[in-house]
Each structure stands twice: as C-alpha cells, then as structure tokens.
C-alpha cells in the first residue's frame, strides 16, 4: 500500500499521540491517583490531620478503623440517610421527567412554549447548591414563609419553635434534589425520545396502538439505556451528596436536623477536620463509600443490561473497528 | 374551550374533547411547575428589600382571608440598600463579597481555560494518532468518569497541606487539566467535525504537529469547546466542598464558601441581610443562564445521549 519510507513517517508521527495525551495523564496521576492510593493507605492507619500533627507519626492499625466506623452510630445514620434521601428525591425526579418527556414529545398534545418550560425547569440546576440550601433553610426557619405556613395550618404550635421532625428534614433535602434535577433528566429523556426512529411510531399508529401503549411498548424500552445512564450517574452523585444537606446539618439554626440529614461525605469531612481530626477514620469511610458506590453501580448495570443491547454493542464495536482501520489508512 | 363541549356527541368530537382535557391538564401542571421553579427566587429578591420586622410580621399573614396587609407583606419594600450596606460593610456581619466574586472568577476562568484546552489536546491525541495504547488509555478515561470524586477529597486536602497550598488558587485550577467528561465529549465532537485530510494537508504545508492543532484544529472545535466551557465555568463556580476546607482566609474565599457562612449563628436574625447575600450570588448566575440558555439546554440534551 505505502512505501517503507512513508510507513516509517507514519510511525514517527503516531508517537506524537503520547505527547498530546501526556498532560492529562500526568495531572490525573498527581491529583487523582496519588490521593486515591493515599486514601487506601491512610484507611489502614491512625493518621491525624496534617495541621494537628505535622510530623505525621502514625501507626499501621490494620482494619481497626473500619471496625470503629461501623460501630459509630453517626456513621450508621449517614449510611442510612444518604440512600434514603437520594431515593426520596430520585423516584419523583425520574417519574416527573418521564411524564413531561412523554407529554412534550406527544404529537397529539403538541405542547406550546416547550422552549420556555425547558429553560424554566432546568434553571434551578445551574444555581449554586449552597445558595439554594441556605435559601430553603431561611424559608423553614422561624419567620421563613414555609415555617409561617406550617404555623398557620396548625402543624407547628408556636411561631418560635423550629421544625424538628427528622422526616421533614430529609423531606426538604429530597425536595431540593428533586427541584434541582427533574428538569435536567427531562431534557435528557426528551433528547432520547426524539432520537428514536420515527418509523416505529408510525408503525404503532397504523396498528392502532393507543398513546399509552406506544409509550410503554416502544418509547420506554428504547430509552432504557439512557435511563440506566441517568440512574447510575444520579446514584453516584447521590451517594456523594454534600452541599445541600450540609446546610441543614450544621450551624445552630438547623441543629434540629443534624444527625438526621447527615450524609456520608458530611461525616467524612467532619471526622477528618473537627475533634480529634482522624484522617484515618475519614479515609476508611471514603473507602467504604467507594466500594458501596462501585458495587451498586455495577449491580444496576447488570440488572438493566439486556441481550439485544449487548449484541448491538458488539456490532457497533465491530463497525467502529472497521472505521478505525479506514481512518488509520487515511493518515 | 367551550365550543368543544357541544361536539362531545360525535365520536370524533369526543376524541378531540379528550385531547383538549389532557392539554388543559398538561398546561396546568407546567404552569404549577413554573411557579415552583421561580417562586423561591422571587421571594428571595423581595425579602432582600425588607427589614427584619417586615419579614417577621409576614408571619401572621397566612390567614385565610386576603387583606391589604397580606398583599403588602408579599411585595418588595424599601430596605434594599440598607440590607446591602449591612452585609457588605458592617464590622459584625460584613463578608467580602466583592473579593469573593474576584476569587470565584479567577478560579472558574482558570480551571475552564485549562480543562477545555487540555481536553481538546487529549481528545485530538486519541483521534488523530494510532499509537499502541490508544484503545486501552481511552477506555481508562471512560472508566474514571465513574469514579466518585469525593472519595479522594481528604487525601487531596492532606497533600495540599503538606505542599503548603492552602488559601491558594492552584489546587482548584491546575487539576482541571484532567477532565475526563470533557475529553469524552470533545472526542465524540471531533469524530464528526474534524476531517483527517485537513491534518494531512497541514503536514504537507510543513506545519508542526502542535502548529496544526493550535492553528487549524482549534478554530474548528470552537462550538464544541464553547459548550464545554459553559458547563466547566458553572461547575467550578459552584464548587463548595474542597474550597470550604482549603480556603479558610475570608479574603481568599469563593462565593459558595461566603454564602455558606450566611448559615452561621450571627446571621440567625438578620433575615434581610441573608436574603440580600443570597440574591447577590443568585442574580449573576440567573443572568448568565438566561443569556446562554439556548446553548445550555442544547448541551444538556447532547450530554445525555452518551451511550
């Protein structure tokens, strides 16, 4: 095909690939891989925060830190609150997004002003999570409008008494998560539905399928990969929930919710940088977070996989390979 | 809508009537959601202009009958400037928001420029060159997108303490060079936007490999890079966990860290000032969002169809 000389030139040029990708991998190594290894290393020691113990005289303690955190009721609270608050927000988030996506893509309903609704529903997602957290905290504090409403309907006895119910605390965090994310999920699902080959819908319409039947039998199965993707990314994000619940877990104004809205990351930060500043314990909790997230994500991928999709993927891979071979020939 | 009620008798009319009912229901839900999305911001802005007593008194106006007082308590009042002065300049409550905007801007802009440029560079390396580890390393980038970033936070902070990089911009800007999600997006974008013949033509013209990338390829990638830049800007601007640990000097703090402080005890009765601070941080983002909403919504839609 090509002369030896040209082949060699090609080879030399291809070495440039390593130079182009080097900054990424060097940065990733220093700022992500090294800390990840450190996390596993610290988890096996009784290390304290560097600013309380600059000499870093710590001992190897094996798996003791894992035992300690698993017996810590505060950590157990966090392990319970985090998935519960995530689910309380995620189920209505996916439900609302699916409903809106079905309506917005329905030819018969033809919702006007979709562009406007998309912009409005997505808006909370762009806001600083701390701003949103402090704002809703101001609403539920005595003299905030939600608090006042609860007093006026008799849910709270006094205008000076704060909300104390643990489920109200988890509920408001879940509500904020829902409020910030259903618009994003809706836009993603609409894009997925619009990407479906229209001939499927035509065929269904000719066969006399109702709107609901079409949605259940055609739309839902075909957007399953996108829903899996949404589910897994939301789960990974949900287990790392910090900014919003943190506003309801710290500070005297909201101490009523403290342990009831504490998430794993709140626990990690608190254990590492307050009190005895136990970095060892915090890293053990981080390893735990890593393992739990990975296990659940893999499990979700596994139950949501289907055979057709696996086959399609194989075919796509083959196609990509062919294309790569083609491109390789061009250069 | 009333004309439809007469048409119920015929089969076709019944169908139209049903569609109309569904339509009405859809619009009611959408308008309700619009109110839920916007109302918190409106209340925030209006409360920023009220003094402590006015906010406290709004308390009593949830009575079932709507009076003039109820309406007055909902509308903006006249303490907007006083609240602002209080929050920005008072000795007891003042927070350096001006400096905070500058810090946030330096961090967000720095991180955005680095992440977009180096992600394009990385994606280009994977797209154009056929080296041995290409597939393997790209697979690695796909995989690390899934690693929960908060897992390494504590060790990262410890490393920064050791390197004496607290109250410094570096820990927030330099690591942005490695942004796996952006690399993934730009690789996809290049697959459709970049022709390899052009790279070849650049080589024949005698350009260096970096010259080809900087002068020929970057201009073509501009739309894709702009989309990623918007999202990088917002993500870095809103980042809270790491800055809240590493920036303990108020004059180095970013906006989310300063807003987080409004949660503290000394603001527990300064309602107006708190709402004022929240508005100050929310309004620029809302303006930014509305100005770029077309690109942002399109970007969200693109990001989802990753499979």
């Amino acid at each position: 095909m090509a002369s030896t000389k040209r082949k060699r030139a090609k080879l030399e040029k291809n070495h440039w690939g390593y130079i182009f990708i080097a900054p990424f991998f060097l940065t990733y190594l220093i700022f992500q891989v090294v800390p990840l290894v450190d996390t596993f290393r610290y988890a096996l020691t009784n290390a304290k925060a560097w600013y309380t113990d600059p000499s870093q005289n710590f001992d190897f303690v094996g798996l003791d830190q894992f035992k300690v955190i698993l017996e810590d009721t505060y950590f157990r609270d966090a392990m319970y609150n985090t998935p519960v608050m995530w689910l309380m927000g995620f189920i209505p988030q996916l439900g609302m997004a699916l409903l809106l996506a079905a309506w917005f893509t329905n030819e018969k309903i033809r919702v006007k002003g979709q562009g406007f609704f998309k912009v409005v529903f997505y808006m909370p997602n762009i806001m600083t999570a701390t701003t949103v957290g402090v704002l809703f905290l101001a609403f539920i504090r005595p003299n905030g409008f939600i608090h006042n409403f609860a007093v006026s309907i008799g849910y709270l006895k006094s205008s000076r008494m704060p909300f104390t119910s643990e489920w109200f605390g988890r509920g408001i965090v879940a509500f904020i998560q829902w409020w910030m994310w259903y618009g994003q999920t809706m836009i993603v699902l609409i894009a997925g539905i619009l990407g479906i080959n229209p001939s499927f819908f035509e065929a269904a319409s000719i066969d006399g399928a109702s709107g609901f039947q079409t949605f259940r039998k055609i739309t839902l199965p075909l957007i399953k990969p996108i829903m899996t993707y949404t589910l897994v990314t939301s789960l990974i994000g949900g287990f790392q929930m910090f900014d919003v619940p943190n506003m309801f877990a710290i500070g005297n104004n909201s101490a009523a919710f403290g342990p009831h809205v504490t998430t794993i990351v709140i626990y990690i930060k608190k254990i590492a940088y307050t009190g005895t500043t136990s970095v060892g314990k915090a890293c053990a909790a981080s390893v735990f977070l890593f393992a739990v997230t990975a296990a659940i994500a893999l499990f979700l991928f596994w139950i949501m996989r289907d055979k057709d999709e696996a086959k399609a993927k194989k075919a796509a891979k083959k196609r990509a390979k062919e294309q790569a071979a083609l491109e390789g020939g061009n250069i | 809508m009333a004309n439809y009620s007469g048409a119920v008798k015929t089969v076709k009319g019944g169908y139209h009537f049903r569609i109309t009912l569904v339509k009405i229901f859809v619009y009611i839900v959408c308008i309700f959601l619009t109110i839920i999305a916007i109302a918190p911001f409106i209340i925030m802005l209006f409360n920023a202009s009220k003094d402590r007593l006015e906010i406290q008194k709004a308390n009593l106006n949830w009575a079932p009958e709507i009076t003039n007082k109820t309406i007055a308590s909902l509308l903006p009042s006249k303490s907007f400037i006083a609240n602002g002065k209080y929050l920005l300049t008072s000795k007891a409550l003042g927070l350096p928001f001006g400096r905070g905007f500058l810090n946030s801007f330096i961090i967000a802009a720095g991180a955005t420029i680095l992440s977009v440029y180096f992600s394009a560079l990385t994606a280009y390396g994977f797209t154009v060159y056929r080296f041995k580890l290409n597939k393997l390393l790209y697979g690695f980038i796909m995989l690390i997108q899934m690693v929960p970033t908060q897992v390494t936070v504590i060790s990262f902070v410890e490393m920064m303490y050791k390197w004496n990089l607290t109250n410094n911009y570096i820990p927030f800007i330099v690591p942005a060079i490695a942004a796996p999600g952006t690399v993934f997006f730009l690789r996809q974008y290049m697959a459709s936007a970049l022709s390899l013949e052009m790279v070849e033509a650049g080589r024949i013209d005698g350009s260096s490999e970096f010259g080809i990338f900087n002068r020929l390829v970057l201009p073509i990638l501009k739309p894709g890079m702009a989309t990623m830049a918007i999202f990088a800007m917002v993500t870095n601007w809103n980042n809270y966990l790491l800055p809240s640990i590493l920036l303990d000097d108020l004059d180095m703090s970013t906006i989310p860290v300063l807003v987080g402080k409004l949660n503290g005890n000394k603001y527990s009765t300064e309602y107006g000032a708190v709402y004022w601070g929240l508005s100050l941080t929310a309004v620029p983002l809302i303006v930014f969002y509305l100005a770029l909403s077309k690109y942002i919504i399109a970007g969200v839609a693109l990001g989802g169809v990753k499979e």
Side-chain angles (χ1 to χ4, degrees):
Chain A
M1 195 181 96
S3 68
T4 341
K5 201 177 159 194
R6 197 165 153 211
K7 250 186 199 160
R8 186 178 294 155
K10 206 164 86 187
L11 219 73
E12 275 163 18
K13 291 275 191 237
N14 280 341
H15 276 88
W16 277 88
Y18 290 110
I19 298 168
F20 273 75
I21 65 170
F24 178 99
F25 282 94
L26 213 64
T27 312
Y28 193 79
L29 180 74
I30 297 170
F31 293 105
Q32 288 295 323
V33 176
V34 171
L36 187 65
V37 173
D38 276 352
T39 303
F40 282 85
R41 200 167 54 90
Y42 285 135
L44 303 173
T45 69
N46 59 3
K48 284 190 174 7
W50 192 85
Y51 68 81
T52 50
D53 177 23
S55 57
Q56 291 284 290
N57 282 323
F58 50 76
D59 301 313
F60 178 79
V61 294
L63 297 174
D64 282 6
Q65 301 289 25
F66 290 93
K67 269 185 227 151
V68 173
I69 58 164
L70 284 174
E71 279 159 17
D72 186 348
T73 50
Y74 192 39
F75 181 71
R76 284 196 203 162
D77 281 344
M79 281 302 292
Y80 173 76
N81 293 331
T82 312
V84 164
M85 288 193 295
W86 171 68
L87 271 178
M88 281 165 68
F90 183 73
I91 292 170
Q93 172 193 326
L94 189 64
M96 195 78 236
L98 265 177
L99 190 66
L100 289 169
W103 284 343
F104 282 13
T105 54
N106 190 316
E107 291 274 310
K108 285 169 197 150
I109 302 177
R110 235 175 284 223
V111 181
K112 288 200 186 83
Q114 285 195 23
F116 170 80
F117 288 130
K118 277 186 195 170
V119 168
V120 171
F121 298 167
Y122 183 74
M123 187 167 73
N125 193 275
I126 211 106
M127 302 312 297
T128 312
T130 33
T131 300
V132 173
V134 176
L135 181 63
F136 278 85
L137 185 67
F139 289 161
I140 65 163
R141 257 155 49 172
N143 298 306
F145 92 99
I146 295 176
H147 187 275
N148 296 341
F149 183 71
V151 173
S152 76
I153 61 166
Y155 176 79
L156 289 176
K157 299 274 172 312
S158 138
S159 62
R160 255 168 289 159
M161 206 180 90
F163 282 105
T164 49
S165 152
E166 56 182 271
W167 285 104
F168 183 84
R170 291 186 195 118
I172 193 101
V173 171
F175 173 81
I176 295 172
Q177 296 291 338
W178 169 82
W179 183 72
M180 289 182 81
W181 287 96
Y182 78 89
Q184 194 263 1
T185 312
M186 175 194 82
I187 294 169
V188 168
L189 292 181
I190 289 175
I193 294 173
L194 293 179
I196 295 173
N197 188 338
S199 61
F200 287 125
F201 295 117
E202 277 161 33
S205 156
I206 290 165
D207 290 348
S210 73
F212 182 69
Q213 279 173 328
T214 314
F215 185 73
R216 256 212 62 197
K217 301 282 181 188
I218 295 179
T219 313
L220 269 188
L222 285 172
I223 59 169
K224 203 168 133 190
I226 294 173
M227 280 170 62
T228 311
Y229 174 78
T230 307
L231 181 66
V232 172
T233 47
S234 168
L235 174 109
I236 294 172
F239 266 86
Q240 301 184 76
M241 211 192 289
F242 175 78
D243 298 10
V244 172
N246 187 51
M247 293 303 142
F248 294 87
I250 58 160
N252 274 0
N253 304 314
S254 52
F257 299 130
H260 306 305
V261 296
T262 296
T263 61
I264 301 171
V265 178
I266 295 176
Y267 174 84
I268 290 173
K269 181 187 167 185
K270 188 162 181 172
I271 222 77
Y273 296 115
T274 55
T276 57
T277 69
S278 176
V279 162
K281 249 199 254 180
C283 285
S286 302
V287 169
F288 212 84
L289 170 66
F290 182 75
V292 169
T293 320
I296 299 178
L298 287 176
F299 177 70
L300 283 178
F301 270 129
W302 184 74
I303 55 167
M304 298 283 281
R305 89 198 186 298
D306 67 33
K307 283 170 192 162
D308 292 347
E309 200 199 322
K311 253 187 226 161
K313 244 187 200 160
K314 237 182 201 168
K317 227 181 202 171
K318 208 175 148 197
R319 243 181 292 131
K321 227 181 213 168
E322 282 164 12
Q323 187 152 6
L326 222 70
E327 281 169 11
N330 280 343
I331 202 124
Chain B
M1 303 297 136
N3 343 346
Y4 280 95
S5 55
V8 183
K9 284 162 202 152
T10 64
V11 179
K12 215 175 167 215
Y15 174 77
H16 280 295
F17 181 66
R18 241 188 19 237
I19 292 282
T20 309
L21 273 186
V22 172
K23 263 189 184 179
I24 292 170
F25 181 67
V26 169
Y27 284 116
I28 289 173
V29 172
C30 286
I31 289 165
F32 176 70
L33 290 174
T34 303
I35 293 169
I36 288 184
I38 294 175
F41 300 116
I42 305 276
I43 297 171
M44 171 186 76
L45 286 171
F46 284 2
N47 279 355
S49 69
K50 294 176 191 168
D51 63 32
R52 190 200 306 186
L53 268 176
E54 283 171 316
I55 296 174
Q56 244 166 358
K57 273 191 184 155
N59 187 8
L60 310 165
N61 290 320
W62 281 99
E65 70 277 11
I66 292 175
T67 61
N68 284 342
K69 234 169 124 193
T70 323
I71 294 166
S73 77
L74 290 174
L75 291 176
S77 184
K78 47 194 182 302
S79 301
F80 187 77
I81 293 171
N83 282 338
K85 263 192 188 155
Y86 212 42
L87 186 68
L88 293 183
T89 57
S90 122
K91 273 226 173 87
L93 295 173
L95 287 170
F97 272 100
R99 185 63 212 245
F101 274 108
L102 181 70
N103 291 332
S104 278
F105 183 77
I106 291 173
I107 287 177
T112 301
I113 291 167
L114 286 190
S115 81
V116 173
Y117 179 81
F118 281 100
S119 296
L121 195 73
T122 312
Y124 180 80
F126 280 116
T127 310
V128 169
Y129 302 103
R130 305 283 132 205
F131 47 93
K132 221 181 187 176
L133 299 175
N134 189 315
K135 280 254 163 67
L136 186 79
L137 291 177
Y138 189 65
F140 178 73
I141 288 187
M142 305 267 284
L143 183 76
I144 58 180
Q145 280 187 75
M146 291 284 177
V147 175
T149 46
Q150 318 284 50
V151 165
T152 57
V153 159
I154 300 299
S155 312
F156 183 88
V157 168
E158 288 299 297
M159 193 161 91
M160 293 305 127
Y161 271 123
K162 272 176 222 162
W163 292 354
N164 207 9
L165 286 177
T166 49
N167 291 314
N168 196 308
Y169 297 131
I170 291 172
F172 308 103
I173 296 180
V174 177
I177 291 172
T182 313
V183 173
F184 179 76
F185 178 89
L186 288 176
R187 172 93 166 76
Q188 303 282 88
Y189 189 79
M190 268 180 212
S192 60
L194 183 71
S195 84
L196 295 171
E197 281 83 7
M198 201 192 61
V199 177
E200 191 71 357
R203 281 181 189 157
I204 290 165
D205 287 349
S207 302
S208 70
E209 296 299 298
F210 276 110
I212 293 171
F213 174 74
N214 285 325
R215 280 191 296 274
L216 290 178
V217 177
L218 277 189
I220 293 174
L221 298 178
K222 257 186 198 158
M225 287 167 75
T227 305
M228 284 296 102
I230 294 171
F231 286 100
M233 193 79 194
V234 172
T235 311
N236 286 294
W237 182 276
N238 288 339
N239 189 14
Y240 176 62
L241 175 59
L242 213 48
S244 77
I245 306 174
L246 280 175
L247 304 173
D248 48 23
D249 179 355
L250 269 188
D251 279 326
M252 280 303 289
S253 291
T254 56
I255 290 296
V257 177
L258 293 176
V259 168
K261 299 221 184 290
L262 291 176
N263 183 10
N265 249 345
K266 55 181 186 169
Y267 298 95
S268 59
T269 54
E270 294 308 324
Y271 314 115
V274 168
Y275 285 113
W276 201 91
L278 293 170
S279 307
L280 181 69
T281 63
V283 169
L285 267 178
I286 294 175
V287 171
F288 175 85
Y289 174 64
L290 293 180
L292 297 173
S293 61
K294 208 175 97 190
Y295 306 99
I296 293 175
I297 302 293
V300 175
L302 271 180
V305 202
K306 266 183 179 171
E307 258 287 310

